[in-house]
Amino acid sequence: MRKLFAALCVGALMLAGCSLFGGSTTPLTTQQTVVNAYTASEASVTAAAVGVQKSVQAGLLTPGSTTALAIKAGLDAASKALDAANAYIAAGQYTAAQSQVDSANQQVTTAQTATPTVPADTTTTTPASGS
Amino acid sequence: MSSNTTEKTVSDVLLALEGIVEVAPALVQIISTIKNNGQITLDELNQIMATRQAAVAAADTALTGAG
């Protein structure tokens, strides 16, 4: 009986946490799911593109190198897939859109894996004069 | 839709978008809209797409050493 009570308490706490931290107990529609997946993928590709630029600027990635061109091909493929996904969403064809999103995610993951990571910003602040 | 599709909640999307705000100020307004409405319009999707296209184009330039 005590174990059952404990299990019920844990379940209640999990549900409460879900509500507090934005989890939803309402099932998403296909449209919502695909649009959200698409939007997140857009953000991933954009972030990857920015990461690539930072990597080049930091001298960790040589422009024109085999690695750089492979990353470029991946980003371009992901970008084209998302263009197609956007068109499918506009046309209400969510299954086709999701397929393109999946393809984009696969491509961008490969590109991100190949991209050297720039160390976190270690900028130091300079104390104000006289302080 | 494929059965192995991972559902992305609004929170997931906001988290992803907020990660790139520093390079895409236009996204701030979009994020605000999503937070208020919990939804995103086609026009906003197009803005996000344009942001991505610009970032990828800039990355292409950097990767090829052009420009």
Side-chain angles (χ1 to χ4, degrees):
Chain A
M1 191 65 185
R2 189 174 293 173
K3 283 183 179 176
L4 177 62
F5 179 74
L8 286 173
C9 284
V10 170
L13 282 173
M14 287 175 71
L15 283 175
C18 202
S19 300
L20 278 175
F21 296 107
S24 172
T25 54
T26 305
L28 297 175
T29 63
T30 299
Q31 178 182 357
Q32 285 173 322
T33 301
V34 174
V35 168
N36 285 351
Y38 164 80
T39 310
S41 186
E42 284 278 13
S44 296
V45 174
T46 305
V50 172
V52 160
Q53 292 172 69
K54 285 183 177 176
S55 187
V56 171
Q57 287 167 358
L60 299 175
L61 194 56
T62 305
S65 65
T66 304
T67 302
L69 296 180
I71 293 169
K72 178 185 180 303
L75 281 180
D76 286 345
S79 195
K80 283 181 181 173
L82 288 180
D83 286 347
N86 184 287
Y88 281 128
I89 287 172
Q93 298 176 27
Y94 301 111
T95 301
Q98 181 64 56
S99 177
Q100 294 295 326
V101 169
D102 290 342
S103 174
N105 286 340
Q106 200 170 17
Q107 296 287 349
V108 78
T109 297
T110 304
Q112 281 177 318
T113 303
T115 304
T117 305
V118 177
D121 187 10
T122 53
T123 304
T124 55
T125 53
T126 305
S129 59
S131 60
Chain B
M1 190 165 32
S2 59
S3 59
N4 63 349
T5 297
T6 303
E7 285 199 353
K8 297 283 185 182
T9 66
V10 169
S11 297
D12 293 330
V13 173
L14 287 172
L15 195 63
L17 288 175
E18 284 170 350
I20 58 173
V21 161
E22 63 179 88
V23 295
L27 291 179
V28 173
Q29 183 59 44
I30 295 171
I31 290 170
S32 174
T33 303
I34 296 174
K35 277 181 173 172
N36 290 334
N37 300 338
Q39 292 187 356
I40 190 166
T41 67
L42 193 57
D43 189 44
E44 288 160 346
L45 285 183
N46 288 334
Q47 286 182 54
I48 294 172
M49 181 173 75
T51 302
R52 179 257 307 164
Q53 288 172 333
V56 171
D60 280 356
T61 301
L63 289 168
T64 57

